[in-house]
Amino acid sequence: MSHYRNEKLRRAVASLPCQAEDCGIEGQTQASHSNQLRDGKGMGIKAHDYRLAALCVACHQQIDQGRDLSRSERQERWDEAHRRTIGLLFERGLVVVK
Ligand SMILES: [Zn+2]
């Protein structure tokens, strides 16, 4: 499986407000890749660039490594932020179907 890469898409995600539930902070967003095998994550390789969530630095750290969350809670939160991120990319016209 080849990995989809798109720098413009990564930049578009980083331009969004944080999409973690109850956050919404602007200006600190990072493009957070999925850590799930089904999304193309592997040893030393990031998931596909379309498996991104817009997360601020604090939410990114909490969801990736937070000790106060279980593995399944972290995955649920990332998945929810990912769904919101993809929706917002389309709603803001940052992804256009030719
Ligand atoms: Zn946040």
Side-chain angles (χ1 to χ4, degrees):
M1 181 168 60
S2 70
H3 283 72
Y4 178 81
R5 298 291 177 234
N6 187 325
E7 190 187 349
K8 282 186 177 175
L9 182 54
R10 295 194 301 272
R11 282 205 304 262
V13 169
S15 77
L16 299 174
C18 178
Q19 293 302 299
E21 203 172 358
D22 301 326
C23 183
I25 286 176
E26 301 211 40
Q28 301 176 23
T29 300
Q30 300 175 326
S32 161
H33 284 85
S34 171
N35 288 325
Q36 300 168 50
L37 283 174
R38 66 180 179 175
D39 295 329
K41 169 67 177 171
M43 287 289 282
I45 189 147
K46 287 183 183 291
H48 300 290
D49 278 354
Y50 49 76
R51 295 303 187 200
L52 290 170
L55 294 176
C56 71
V57 176
C59 290
H60 194 174
Q61 189 166 18
Q62 187 195 36
I63 286 174
D64 263 4
Q65 298 142 35
R67 292 171 200 278
D68 49 331
L69 297 175
S70 71
R71 185 184 180 85
S72 63
E73 284 172 331
R74 287 189 272 119
Q75 184 170 320
E76 273 172 35
R77 288 190 191 198
W78 188 91
D79 284 349
E80 185 58 30
H82 171 62
R83 293 178 64 88
R84 293 166 56 132
T85 297
I86 297 299
L88 199 54
L89 284 173
F90 280 90
E91 285 168 11
R92 291 196 174 184
L94 293 166
V95 172
V96 176
V97 178
K98 287 182 187 171

